[in-house]
Amino acid sequence: MQLILLMATKEFIHILRDKRTIFLLFLAPLVTFVLFSYMYTGQRVTDMTLVIVDQDHSTLSRELINEFGQSELFSYQGLVDSYEEVEKRLQEGKTDVAVIIPEHFNRDVKDGRPTTVMTLVDGTNMLISNGATKGATQVLQTLSAGVSLRLMEANGIVPAKAMSILQPINSTIRIGYNPTYNYRIFLLFGLVATVLQQVLLTTMAGSFCREKDKGTNMILVASRISANQVVLGKIIPYFTISLLNIFLLILLANVTAGIGVRGNGFDLFCVALGFVLALVGMASLISVLVPDELRANQILLLIAAPSFLISGFTWPLSKMPALIVGLSNCLPLTQFLSAFRIVGMKGASLTAVPKEMAALYGIGLIGIMLSIEVWKTQREKGKLLKLN
């Protein structure tokens, strides 16, 4: 244990002397968290810019315009004269949504003839298009229900009876764990976990390669320090710093960002421990196998870059091809995000995520054991020394 701590102290000193490594390990995850937490203060997409073409100029069309103007989802910019102007504004990015009220809108509604209000949405941003579609549908349904109610009352149907005809079936929808569609809750931890993964993999990529480049492997080869002590000693600093980073970010999420983490403290610790262990195991094995830091970074970049896209966080794994799902399940980020969503965000216990936990700890322990064996073999064969 003394030799392991000696190796860990040596690695800590190396980290503290390298300003780039200090920044990546300590500040990059924190900066990312603060940036994205601030960026998503709106919590959901609102104030989408809206213009309206009123081809009817009736009392009912003005009522519809007023409904859109009062909706918090839209920022009403005013009336425009033609469909062509609407197309131009959408194309140039000057507006997000446009509503076209047809001619004879008021007359057709009163006469019971079908009429259509067209809504044009800029679909280049899926968040805006989804929000605009839901918002426009909500406004039109509200107006339609109100008009139908007035028509029934005009025909002698009492209000209570009219309401029962309009709403024969009542519906209650309960959105669990994110009822306000807070975008910070949806994306923040996924983005931060991705940055933590990238930072740890990048900083650890050259941890063993540097010894060879600087010639300090000679000391390790000549000493009596075992492969177990060398590998464990070198990974302890990165393991410790990354684990502290995760809990600092969870604390900030609860205290400053207003994102409640429901999970039990011990369960969250086990999930975080498994994630960091898996990353350390993967990074140490690659660092031991490759001959230099550049190649280690290249390999880890190939692993880390697409991992967020195929982790199932932004697009469900059930909708991905089987080959990609199989690849995704081999990545620590996929298992961590799945476990954290269930344990941290929903408050379930570890018994709900046995596969994820087994995968995280399995990847970590196997990676570390293979790192020890590979380093030991390389020392015995003299491959740890870089001969000029």
Side-chain angles (χ1 to χ4, degrees):
M1 181 57 69
Q2 288 180 339
L3 291 176
I4 291 175
L5 293 177
L6 179 65
M7 284 297 303
T9 303
K10 172 181 172 297
E11 195 67 23
F12 266 120
I13 293 172
H14 171 78
I15 292 172
L16 294 175
R17 286 177 177 174
D18 188 341
K19 293 182 179 179
R20 183 179 69 90
T21 302
I22 292 176
F23 173 79
L24 287 174
L25 280 174
F26 288 98
L27 294 182
L30 181 61
V31 169
T32 303
F33 179 88
V34 172
L35 174 63
F36 283 108
S37 178
Y38 177 75
M39 188 173 72
Y40 294 128
T41 50
Q43 301 185 4
R44 60 177 181 151
V45 180
T46 58
D47 295 322
M48 292 169 284
T49 53
L50 169 78
V51 295
I52 296 177
V53 178
D54 186 2
Q55 297 176 339
D56 190 43
H57 303 287
S58 63
T59 303
L60 187 59
S61 68
R62 287 192 291 271
E63 185 178 346
L64 178 58
I65 293 170
N66 185 56
E67 289 283 349
F68 274 108
Q70 291 181 349
S71 173
E72 65 173 6
L73 296 176
F74 299 105
S75 175
Y76 177 51
Q77 295 179 317
L79 295 172
V80 295
D81 297 328
S82 64
Y83 181 87
E84 289 73 20
E85 186 177 350
V86 163
E87 287 279 9
K88 183 179 180 182
R89 291 179 67 89
L90 287 169
Q91 184 181 45
E92 294 177 353
K94 294 180 179 179
T95 191
D96 299 319
V97 189
V99 174
I100 314 294
I101 302 175
E103 290 183 301
H104 313 304
F105 174 62
N106 186 68
R107 187 190 69 187
D108 290 344
V109 170
K110 286 186 175 180
D111 293 344
R113 287 194 292 265
T115 184
T116 301
V117 174
M118 181 183 294
T119 303
L120 304 177
V121 180
D122 181 357
T124 56
N125 187 313
M126 290 184 63
L127 295 174
I128 289 177
S129 62
N130 288 338
T133 302
K134 292 178 182 177
T137 301
Q138 180 181 347
V139 169
L140 290 169
Q141 286 177 343
T142 301
L143 180 68
S144 179
V147 170
S148 298
L149 181 62
R150 291 199 297 268
L151 290 174
M152 290 180 184
E153 291 176 354
N155 289 322
I157 302 176
V158 296
K161 181 65 175 178
M163 285 298 297
S164 66
I165 294 173
L166 284 174
Q167 296 179 338
I169 300 176
N170 293 316
S171 173
T172 300
I173 300 175
R174 178 179 177 271
I175 307 297
Y177 312 111
N178 189 9
T180 61
Y181 296 97
N182 187 330
Y183 207 64
R184 285 194 295 178
I185 294 177
F186 170 61
L187 261 189
L188 185 58
F189 280 109
L191 293 170
V192 171
T194 303
V195 173
L196 280 169
Q197 171 187 261
Q198 188 64 43
V199 166
L200 182 55
L201 294 181
T202 301
T203 52
M204 271 207 70
S207 58
F208 289 91
C209 302
R210 281 192 296 266
E211 302 285 355
K212 186 183 296 185
D213 292 336
K214 294 182 178 181
T216 53
N217 259 345
M218 178 69 73
I219 300 173
L220 299 179
V221 171
S223 69
R224 295 183 179 180
I225 302 178
S226 69
N228 296 358
Q229 293 163 334
V230 171
V231 173
L232 293 177
K234 288 186 73 64
I235 67 176
I236 282 176
Y238 302 97
F239 182 87
T240 305
I241 293 171
S242 298
L243 199 57
L244 290 174
N245 263 333
I246 290 179
F247 281 97
L248 174 62
L249 296 176
I250 291 176
L251 179 63
L252 286 174
N254 276 301
V255 175
T256 64
I259 301 175
V261 179
R262 297 179 174 85
N264 173 275
F266 176 76
D267 292 345
L268 283 173
F269 173 79
C270 291
V271 172
L273 185 70
F275 181 49
V276 176
L277 186 68
L279 292 178
V280 165
M282 179 185 293
S284 62
L285 179 59
I286 293 174
S287 184
V288 169
L289 285 172
V290 298
D292 55 68
E293 188 172 358
L294 175 61
R295 266 181 272 190
N297 274 314
Q298 290 173 339
I299 294 173
L300 290 172
L301 183 62
L302 289 174
I303 295 173
S307 61
F308 181 69
L309 297 176
I310 65 174
S311 66
F313 202 73
T314 57
W315 187 254
L317 286 174
S318 60
K319 305 301 181 184
M320 296 183 189
L323 180 62
I324 295 181
V325 172
L327 176 62
S328 175
N329 286 328
C330 297
L331 299 174
L333 184 63
T334 302
Q335 306 298 339
F336 170 71
L337 291 178
S338 175
F340 186 82
R341 187 188 292 113
I342 294 171
V343 175
M345 306 308 295
K346 296 182 180 180
S349 66
L350 289 177
T351 56
V353 289
K355 293 181 181 178
E356 290 86 347
M357 298 303 293
L360 288 173
Y361 282 88
I363 292 171
L365 293 175
I366 291 173
I368 292 173
M369 288 188 292
L370 288 176
S371 299
I372 292 171
E373 288 301 315
V374 171
W375 195 90
K376 180 180 178 181
T377 302
Q378 289 180 345
R379 179 168 66 176
E380 292 172 352
K381 296 183 176 180
K383 293 184 178 181
L384 294 176
L385 302 179
K386 188 174 182 180
L387 302 176
N388 296 325

